[in-house]
Amino acid sequence: MGEVLKRAPTHSIIFTDIYAGTPSNVATVFAKGKGFPVICGMNLPMLIEAEMRRNKLSIEELVNRIIEAGGESIKNVTLIANRNTYK
């Protein structure tokens, strides 16, 4: 990972799966030196949001929007389906 981070562009963001898991911990240690944000709990909507807005927002705004998109994508589908009637 260290070699990859050495070549990473400025304003890179590192995504990991579980907070305080090994990938998150290792990424945080390496990212500190470069000032890269590390976002855990990654899901596909977060990656889509990052790609769509990466050249439109500051790094701080982008990180916040990515985290919002991740939370907004978590749904109780059973509850939603039970409220709808299908014909």
Side-chain angles (χ1 to χ4, degrees):
M1 179 177 271
E3 289 301 315
V4 172
L5 286 174
K6 287 179 186 175
R7 296 188 313 268
T10 306
H11 301 303
S12 292
I13 299 171
I14 301 172
F15 293 89
T16 67
D17 54 358
I18 300 170
Y19 173 70
T22 300
S24 177
N25 293 340
V26 171
T28 300
V29 169
F30 282 111
K32 273 186 178 180
K34 291 282 234 169
F36 295 154
V38 177
I39 301 175
C40 66
M42 192 273 306
N43 58 36
L44 185 57
M46 294 169 78
L47 289 177
I48 293 169
E49 192 70 25
E51 178 59 27
M52 289 176 40
R53 297 184 186 258
R54 69 184 179 146
N55 295 317
K56 299 175 184 171
L57 301 173
S58 71
I59 191 73
E60 294 82 13
E61 292 170 319
L62 181 58
V63 167
N64 289 334
R65 184 61 205 124
I66 290 167
I67 293 168
E68 288 173 14
E72 291 168 358
S73 70
I74 299 169
K75 308 284 184 199
N76 181 338
V77 178
T78 302
L79 184 62
I80 294 167
N82 287 340
R83 282 191 239 142
N84 295 317
T85 56
Y86 300 99
K87 295 179 182 182

